[in-house]
Structure formats: structure tokens, C-alpha cells
Amino acid sequence: MPSLLSVRGTASFRAAAMFRPRSVVLLADPAVPETATIARNLAAGGFKGSLHVIGMQVEGLAAAESIEALPEAPDLAVLCLPPALLEPAMAALAARGCFAAVVPGAAPDLAAISARTGVKALGQGSFGLCVPAIGLNASLAHIAPSPGKLALVTQSAALARAVLDWAAAESVGFSHVIGIGGNATIGFAMALDWLARDVVTGAVLLDLRRIRNRRAFVSAARAVTRTRPVVAIRAGGRTADHSGIGDCVMEAALRRAGVLRVSGLEEFLSAAETLARVKPRLGGGPDAARGDRIAIVTNGIGMGQLAADAVLAGGGRLARLSPEALAAFQLLLPEGWRPGNPLSLGPASGPRLAEAATMLAALPEVDAVVALHAPAPQEAGDVAAESMIAAARTGGQRAAPVLVSWAGQATAGRQRQAMAEAGLAVFPTPEGAVRGALQLARDRRNRAAAAELPSREVLEVAPDRRSVRRILESVRASFRRSLTEEEALGVLAAYGVPTVPGRRAAGPQEAADAAAMLGFPAVLKILSPDLRHKSEVGGVVLGLGSAAAVKAEAEAMLARIRAKRPEARIEGFLVQRQAARALELRMRLGDDPMFGPWIGFGQGGTAADLAEDEAHDLPPLNLALAGQLIGRSRTARLMAGFRDHAPVNQPAVADTLVRLSQIAVDFPEIETLTINPLFADAQGVLAADAGLMLRPEGEAGVLAIPPYPAELVRLWQTKSGEVLTVRPIRPEDAAAHAEAFRKLDPEDVRWRFFSPLKELSPTLVARLTQIDYDREMAFVAVRRRPDGTEETVGVARLIRDPAEPSAEFAVTVLKSMKGQGLGRHLMERLFDWGRESGVREIVGHVLADNAPMLAFVKALGFELRRSPEEEDVMEARLAL
């Protein structure tokens, strides 16, 4: 039975040739500024493969006359050439069979040249590539990086040199340093896809400026964060977008991918220090979900207080130690001292500091330990440092991480260096150590949220799409892009969003008549495609208590607007019944140049922009994600109720966010959509005003996260006549998926997972149910129980690498459903999806003793052969 836990043979030749080459050639023009540095670093790196140079003589590199004269086709070429010579060189490389390159210099047309020649490249302006484990240093580095587990993917050569300089002083090593440069052909997605499979890489640092392919980036980032931390920094985000929306949207995209966003180089290096040395604690129970319960141990009260202040200021919690735990520390304290958190051992604590840190790290109520040391008279600081090093080496996998602050320089600097070389996360200040502990907590929360298992509850949105299409076609036919308020509210109503009843009126008398029909108090609004903010010109009046008041105000409103905006086209009035007092919210659908459509939520009303309370996320949203979006806004505290305001019906607000998200999915021609105000109270929500703008004709938004492919949902009848729903899996299937696993026979489990698993871990359930529909598909067959819940009775899965034409399959059917033709139907659905997605071959690995599966795949047309890697495994292949 195929395994879902690994995908064999997915590393493409180009990816392997780029990031793990066996042979490298330098095409060099000595006049190009980058040439001398690249040549020197290549020669001095100790590369374990073959190194050649064309165009100059370099000691340590074998010279060749031309690409054709090379003794073998190189895996990787480094092109230090003038722009005019790049295309002939890349064409010659392609003819020789080399399709991976690094371009450290100028290359204005690199994307076009790559498309014409087939050679993919890092660049233009790439910092280069370092793979220290194999001695490859094809970079512009001034210091050769040491081997380690950090990977740095950067667009900035200056930032790369700063990080490498810091790392050399801190004894931090790297698995890869990848210079994306201009991000013309090989971008972040391909680099992240490689690092997700690299067994050496333990954490990834990203320097982001421009994302070329939003969907591929988010997909690849999510693949990496499932197994290791990823930290990102973005320089120039606020400079490029003074509104700050683009920066907020990037943070939302990174959050959805499980990436930790940091601000500034100092925090970036702090995160690198922490992730390079610290293994996060496993488990910890429900109260550990935030991962921010920090215990502090110190040899000075003042140092401990500074650290405690930093914990609370950073949003963390001081761990509450049990009475039993506190009693255990009494023996470590001077006479008369009482234990607590911070735990102060006194200035002459010496090795007791390490002992106390180890004890704290073993406590289940502690997520991280910050150990603080200041120089003390009559204390052997070297001995204390050695004790801390020894304690770190004996720490268990389930112990909380220990971060050390060793303050001072004259004596402490040397001791700090020794601890860094020994692999400790050590900082010169208490605030630095606390920052590292809080970064671990944020990373834990981010990655947990990205893999959170939602409930079975699914909001079934059944909109009137035809009605919306008619509205949008009417707007286009009138050569408009902006919808009137009435039209925009009509779109919302078609998606099940409650809207304030209203009537269009041609003039003042008609407005008075409409108000009399709707009831009082009434709201009067001007209708004009040229007035985006009606309240700014007196185009909105509230609290009108009679038909006469409505008529008089309509006449006055016309006069005001004609005086202020004589050019504005007036199409009449919109009359509405005024809603009762409620909390005013705002929801927005917008578009970001880098990450596409986004959704904003926060305080509403006329002062919404001044309040600067807006949380952001990316569509598509489900109810769980909508709830998290609400919780990130300051308005969430008002929604909980205050003074004489009852709590708001938060599920109704989340419901509206999901419906807004579905509009973005269904109608990519919509550029912006704003609901303001959305009145919310204990009973529900009511949209009182809305604005909608279409994109220019022919343009469509592209979501950074692929939406659920609802078009693939089908009904299917078994041989016995039962009708099942066969559809793509979704995150809300987590509970049903785990339930189905528990119904499998032990032998089926062994055949499926190649091991006798007893239970699917939450992490694995999330991995199997939260899939990227661009690179993976899983069809589930479900039956609906009488109570309305769904039961999963079969699943088939196809996992592909975007750079490969092959994909690996897996299929399982519950024992009670075998013999019904379900397995074949699920596989045929996979075949159809694979063909449409560009898959050319399907591969599977089946245990040799799994006779039923071998017979099944053979009947489907698969060819079988024994795996060259594992004798007890058969390899099944089928060309599509």
C-alpha cells in the first residue's frame, strides 16, 4: 500500500543540480566586478565535486576552452558575464545539458533569456549560492559560512553579508545560503520546496522584498513550516506603501503559511540565534498551546526584574510554579530567601544557576527558561559557564528550551563566546534572551494555527450567483466600474448577508412616500456613482421621524450637493429604515499587488479610517479562520460586551466574513468591496451600506491560496445502490478522517503506512486534511448520517511536486465498503485530476505481501517491479 508519509523521488534534476551540484563551471569575464570574489570563493571553498573555469585562469579551478570542451555536462554554471553575453552562454549550456545557473551581475532580460533557453537561474544580482556541507561557496560572501542547520534565502547581498558576519562571530552554521536576487526565474518557491525536503535544514530565514508567484510561494512556505520554523523579514514594506495595507497583507500571508514575521535586523538575528540552537519543547498540555510560560532564574534580583518586565511587555506570561516545584528549589537558595519566578539564587550562585535552569526546564508548567548571569565578585565565571554548557548537553527532548543571558563584556564576552561555540542560545542582555523565548512562542502559535484542526462545522453558502452576474453585467453595460449602494447591497443579499431594507426614490416626494412604507426613523442617502464618500458632502442623514422631514431633507440635500459637487451625477435617493443601536463594524475586500485579494475586519462607522483598527487575512476563509481574524482586531474586545452593550453575536459576524470571502472566490472581477457600517448586536448582523468596485474589463484577481474546488464534488452510486458524495477533502474533515483511521484493520494500517500505527497524530491529521489543491488532491467518499454528520468511507490521494511530471498515489477503503467498486472509482477520479494538472505518470509503493493491493493496481494497468531501494516493496507505475 502506498505511504502518505513520504514522497519518493520528487527532487527534480534542476533542483538537485542547483542546490546540491556535483560539478560547477564558472564562466568568467575578469572585467565584471563580481568575478574576482566569486572565483576566489569557489577556489577556497573546498568543493567536493569538480570545478572548472572558462574565460580566465584561477588557481584551484580546472581551465577549459569552452562549454563544449568541458569533460562533462556541469550541474551548475556561475555566469560572471556582461549582459550581452548571457544568452549565448545559456544557450550553449542548455545544448550541453546544463539547466541551472547563478547570475550575480546585471541581467535586465534574464526572465526572457531563461524562457528562450530553458536555463533557470538565481538572479539577476544574486548574492550567489553556498552549500557549506559540500564545500560550495559560489557567492559574494566576505566570510565563508560554516556548515550548520540554518538556511538563508535572501534578495539582498548586503543583508546576506551582515548575517554571515554575525554568524561567524556567534558560531552559527548554515545548510544553504541562497541569493534570489531579482527573482527572475528561480524564486522563493523553488528554494523553499528544496529546503522542505532537505534533511539537514532545521530552520529557514527569509529576506523578502518581491514575491513573483504568490500562490507558489505560500504553498511552498506552508510545506516548510509543517516540519521546521521559518522566519521572515521585509525591508521597505512601509516605504513602498505608506498606507501600511500591503505590509499588513504580507504579514497575513506569512501567518497563513505558518511563517514568523519579524521587524528589523536585530530581531532577525535574534531569531536566527534562537532557531539555530534551540529545540522547541514537545507536548505540554492545553495550557501550553501559547508556548509563552517563561521561567526566569538569575544570580541578581535586578536582572530578573528586567527580564520579567520584558516578558510582560512582549505579551508573554511568567510561569506559575506549583508549591511542590517551589519547595524543590529551597535547597538552592541562600538562607532566608524565598523561591519564586523570577528565581534569584544570589550573586555567588556559580554552578547552581545551571542546576536550577535544568530543574525548571523539566517542569510541565514551563515552556521556556531564561537563565540570567551577571559578573559577581569571588565567583569563578568560567566554572559557571562550563556548568551551563554541561547542563545544555544533558537536556532531554521533552525539556523546555533554555536561553541564556550572560551580561557584561570584559570577563563575560569570552565566556559567552565559549557557550555560543558549544551551541547554547546565549545573549548579552536579559531582553535579548526574553525576545528569543517569545519568538519561540510566536513561532509555535503561528505553525499551530496554520495546522489547526477545525471542527466538523462547515458553512454551506448557497448564493444566488445568477442575480449577482446580472447586476455586474448591468454595471458593465452602462460603462461603469463602480456599483451604486443599492447594487452593492444587492450583491450582499444574494450571498445571504442580511441587509437593511431600502427603496430607491427618484425625487423628494417619492423619498417621503418610501419612508412612510418602510417606517420611521428613516435614513436618507443620495444615489450618485460620482460620490464615493456620501457623508463628506452631506449625502447621508439619519433619524428622520416623518415623511415631511424626509421630503424637506431630500430637497436640502440636493441643494447642498449641487453647490459642493455640481459635476456629480444624481440618480435619486435610497431610503432605508434606520437600524436599532448596535456596534458598527467594517469589512473590506481589497487587492494587494503582491498577494492579491485580502479581507479586512475592524471598527466601522465614519471614523473607521482614523481608528486604525483593522485585522487582515487572505481568502478563502472558513469559520475557524474568520473567528481568528475577528480575534486579532481591537474591536473583538467591544464585541464581548461592555457597560450597557450586550455581547455581539460573533458567529453571525464570522458567517458574514465567510460569505464575503466566497464572493471573492466566485467573482474575481471584483476589485474592492466594503461593508460599512455592518451593524452587529446580540441578534445578528445587518449591512446598512456597501460599496463595490469592479476591475478593468478583462482583469481578474488571483488568490494566493487556492480555494476549495467545489466544482469537483460528485455523487456516485455503489454496486449495492447506496449513493455517496465523492469530493475533495477539506480541513473540516479532520475529525471524520481520524475516525475512519480508527476503523481500519491493523493489517490495513500496516499496508497503508508501512508501520503499525495505532493513532493518527493531530499533526498528521492536519497534514492529510489541509492540502494545497494546486499540488495535491485527495478525494474522500462520504455518507451522511441521520444526525447530519458525515462519515468518511474511502480516500484516494495524489501528491505531486510542481517541478516533476510524476505524482505518488495512495488509496484506502473501509472494510465494509470493499467490493463496491469504490476504490476503482476514487482512483479514476485521481487519474482525471492528474491529467488536467499536468501529471504524466503516477507512482506508488506497495508492500510485497499486500496481495490485494498488487492485484488492484495491476487491474488498473499499473506496471509492477521490485523497488531497487527496498526489497520488501513493489513499485507501481502508470503512464497517464
Side-chain angles (χ1 to χ4, degrees):
M1 191 72 180
S3 168
L4 296 183
L5 303 180
S6 63
V7 183
R8 297 172 171 85
T10 57
S12 71
F13 168 76
R14 289 192 181 95
M18 170 61 70
F19 301 117
R20 192 85 179 184
R22 294 164 297 178
S23 56
V24 178
V25 62
L26 170 63
L27 276 66
D29 182 336
V32 172
E34 296 82 9
T35 299
T37 302
I38 293 278
R40 181 174 62 250
N41 285 341
L42 273 172
F47 182 55
K48 294 177 172 59
S50 62
L51 278 173
H52 288 83
V53 61
I54 298 171
M56 63 185 293
Q57 297 291 322
V58 180
E59 185 177 352
L61 276 64
E65 289 295 322
S66 64
I67 295 171
E68 295 75 16
L70 290 169
E72 60 180 348
D75 283 338
L76 175 65
V78 183
L79 308 181
C80 291
L81 298 172
L85 299 182
L86 285 174
E87 183 158 5
M90 292 170 72
L93 287 167
R96 190 67 203 274
C98 174
F99 296 94
V102 176
V103 180
D109 300 322
L110 185 57
I113 294 172
S114 179
R116 288 192 291 266
T117 62
V119 178
K120 295 186 181 296
L122 292 170
Q124 64 172 338
S126 170
F127 175 73
L129 175 68
C130 302
V131 188
I134 60 174
L136 177 64
N137 184 0
S139 78
L140 297 171
H142 66 299
I143 296 176
S146 301
K149 66 177 186 178
L150 271 185
L152 172 64
V153 186
T154 177
Q155 290 192 266
S156 167
L159 186 139
R161 283 191 290 269
V163 172
L164 293 183
D165 200 285
W166 164 86
E170 298 294 326
S171 302
V172 171
F174 294 85
S175 66
H176 295 77
V177 178
I178 302 171
I180 298 296
N183 193 10
T185 61
I186 295 182
F188 288 98
M190 184 177 289
L192 288 171
D193 275 332
W194 174 265
L195 295 174
R197 300 188 295 265
D198 182 58
V199 296
V200 177
T201 300
V204 180
L205 306 176
L206 297 179
D207 157 42
L208 302 173
R209 292 186 186 178
R210 183 179 73 94
I211 302 300
R212 180 166 45 87
N213 187 325
R214 64 188 63 152
R215 187 169 285 187
F217 169 78
V218 173
S219 172
R222 291 182 73 181
V224 180
T225 59
R226 288 192 180 108
T227 55
R228 67 211 77 189
V230 179
V231 178
I233 188 174
R234 183 192 188 192
R238 289 281 177 175
T239 307
D241 176 16
H242 295 291
S243 71
I245 293 293
D247 211 47
C248 293
V249 172
M250 170 173 272
E251 186 150 347
L254 295 176
R255 185 189 307 110
R256 284 289 287 273
V259 175
L260 174 63
R261 165 82 182 276
V262 297
S263 301
L265 182 59
E266 183 179 359
E267 193 174 358
F268 193 59
L269 296 179
S270 172
E273 170 81 22
T274 304
L275 298 177
R277 307 182 191 281
V278 171
K279 293 182 179 179
R281 185 175 194 160
L282 303 175
D287 195 41
R290 285 171 54 182
D292 61 352
R293 300 171 302 173
I294 299 172
I296 301 168
V297 59
T298 176
N299 72 340
I301 295 175
M303 294 276 285
Q305 290 173 336
L306 286 174
D309 288 345
V311 168
L312 299 177
R317 295 177 291 173
L318 294 172
R320 293 188 176 185
L321 307 181
S322 67
E324 295 78 12
L326 291 173
F329 290 103
Q330 190 65 59
L331 295 176
L332 298 177
L333 299 179
E335 186 175 351
W337 289 41
R338 297 179 61 184
N341 185 18
L343 178 65
S344 180
L345 305 180
S349 54
R352 286 183 294 143
L353 186 66
E355 183 181 354
T358 302
M359 292 171 62
L360 287 169
L363 297 176
E365 61 263 40
V366 173
D367 297 316
V369 177
V370 173
L372 310 171
H373 179 274
Q378 301 178 347
E379 180 196 60
D382 291 345
V383 174
E386 286 297 327
S387 298
M388 193 65 69
I389 292 171
R393 288 172 176 164
T394 58
Q397 278 285 344
R398 293 194 171 272
V402 177
L403 297 93
V404 180
S405 168
W406 215 258
Q409 186 58 39
T411 59
R414 172 174 45 80
Q415 296 156 7
R416 201 163 51 239
Q417 181 65 29
M419 285 187 279
E421 291 174 356
L424 275 71
V426 58
F427 302 84
T429 65
E431 294 81 4
V434 168
R435 184 190 299 118
L438 294 176
Q439 285 169 340
L440 286 176
R442 286 173 56 204
D443 173 66
R444 180 173 181 165
R445 288 197 299 272
N446 271 15
R447 294 167 64 202
E452 185 175 352
L453 299 179
S455 70
R456 292 177 184 261
E457 184 181 8
V458 177
L459 177 61
E460 300 289 353
V461 179
D464 183 357
R465 294 184 177 89
R466 290 184 178 178
S467 174
V468 174
R469 179 59 60 199
R470 285 195 298 269
I471 292 173
L472 300 188
E473 288 175 351
S474 172
V475 172
R476 293 287 194 196
S478 61
F479 303 101
R480 290 185 287 132
R481 290 175 54 202
S482 178
L483 275 67
T484 65
E485 179 183 341
E486 183 183 26
E487 291 166 335
L489 288 172
V491 170
L492 295 176
Y495 270 77
V497 177
T499 59
V500 174
R503 286 181 176 271
R504 175 188 283 260
Q509 183 59 54
E510 291 83 356
D513 296 340
M517 294 180 64
L518 292 169
F520 298 99
V523 177
L524 181 69
K525 300 177 182 179
I526 198 73
L527 283 178
S528 170
D530 301 320
L531 299 174
R532 187 172 182 183
H533 299 290
K534 299 182 290 292
S535 58
E536 293 181 355
V537 292
V540 178
V541 178
L542 309 176
L544 299 173
S546 66
V550 171
K551 181 180 180 182
E553 188 52 53
E555 292 170 345
M557 184 180 291
L558 284 175
R560 279 196 306 271
I561 293 174
R562 284 169 178 161
K564 292 181 179 180
R565 295 287 300 276
E567 81 285 358
R569 291 168 291 172
I570 306 299
E571 297 180 350
F573 301 92
L574 180 65
V575 183
Q576 296 172 317
R577 173 72 180 270
Q578 185 165 315
R581 188 183 73 161
L583 185 64
E584 293 187 30
L585 306 175
R586 181 176 72 174
M587 295 181 181
R588 292 203 293 170
L589 171 65
D591 190 77
D592 176 67
M594 193 176 298
F595 285 101
W598 54 265
I599 290 175
F601 170 82
Q603 180 178 326
T606 56
D609 289 330
L610 297 177
E612 295 185 349
D613 172 33
E614 187 169 56
H616 299 84
D617 210 326
L618 304 183
L621 297 179
N622 58 19
L623 288 170
L625 291 168
Q628 294 168 17
L629 173 59
I630 293 168
R632 288 194 297 272
S633 70
R634 294 197 303 273
T635 302
R637 289 177 288 180
L638 299 178
M639 293 173 63
F642 63 99
R643 294 182 183 173
D644 59 339
H645 289 256
V648 164
N649 185 340
Q650 183 164 320
V653 178
D655 176 293
T656 306
L657 282 168
V658 173
R659 294 178 188 276
L660 179 62
S661 168
Q662 193 61 46
I663 293 173
V665 171
D666 292 344
F667 293 95
E669 61 264 49
I670 293 177
E671 184 172 70
T672 63
L673 198 168
T674 300
I675 310 173
N676 185 26
L678 178 74
F679 292 117
D681 59 17
Q683 281 67 51
V685 299
L686 197 62
D689 199 348
L692 192 155
M693 176 73 72
L694 296 176
R695 299 175 189 272
E697 190 81 46
E699 291 186 10
V702 177
L703 302 182
I705 300 172
Y708 182 76
E711 69 278 4
L712 298 180
V713 178
R714 303 277 191 279
L715 296 179
W716 179 77
Q717 189 171 10
T718 69
K719 291 180 179 178
S720 64
E722 182 181 7
V723 177
L724 303 175
T725 299
V726 177
R727 56 168 174 79
I729 202 167
R730 57 192 178 201
E732 292 83 1
D733 289 318
H737 210 73
E739 180 183 291
F741 175 85
R742 289 191 287 270
K743 294 179 181 179
L744 293 175
D745 292 337
E747 190 73 347
D748 285 336
V749 173
R750 184 179 69 85
W751 281 340
R752 178 187 177 108
F753 292 100
F754 287 29
S755 63
L757 286 178
K758 294 184 178 180
E759 188 77 16
L760 291 180
S761 69
T763 300
L764 184 53
V765 173
R767 167 67 188 89
L768 296 176
T769 56
Q770 298 179 24
I771 68 172
D772 182 337
Y773 300 111
D774 277 354
R775 64 170 66 194
E776 180 177 358
M777 179 52 67
F779 285 107
V780 291
V782 298
R783 64 159 62 103
R784 190 170 290 276
R785 298 188 181 103
D787 64 0
T789 61
E790 289 185 334
E791 176 188 10
T792 298
V793 297
V795 58
R797 182 178 308 269
L798 201 61
I799 305 173
R800 66 186 292 257
D801 185 317
E804 283 289 313
S806 64
E808 185 167 352
F809 78 92
V811 60
T812 293
V813 173
L814 292 188
K815 187 176 182 178
S816 61
M817 295 299 298
K818 290 182 179 179
Q820 296 293 316
L822 179 56
R824 172 178 283 274
H825 176 72
L826 290 171
M827 289 295 291
E828 289 172 348
R829 293 292 305 273
L830 284 185
F831 296 164
D832 292 341
W833 181 84
R835 291 188 189 98
E836 293 179 4
S837 302
V839 175
R840 297 291 174 262
E841 183 182 44
I842 293 182
V843 182
H845 294 83
V846 185
L847 286 174
D849 66 345
N850 188 352
M853 177 55 69
L854 292 174
F856 174 69
V857 297
K858 192 171 183 179
L860 287 172
F862 282 81
E863 294 183 0
L864 294 170
R865 68 173 185 177
R866 195 165 295 276
S867 170
E869 300 172 359
E870 300 170 85
E871 190 174 338
D872 62 342
V873 173
M874 299 295 291
E875 189 176 83
R877 290 184 176 272
L878 175 69
L880 290 183

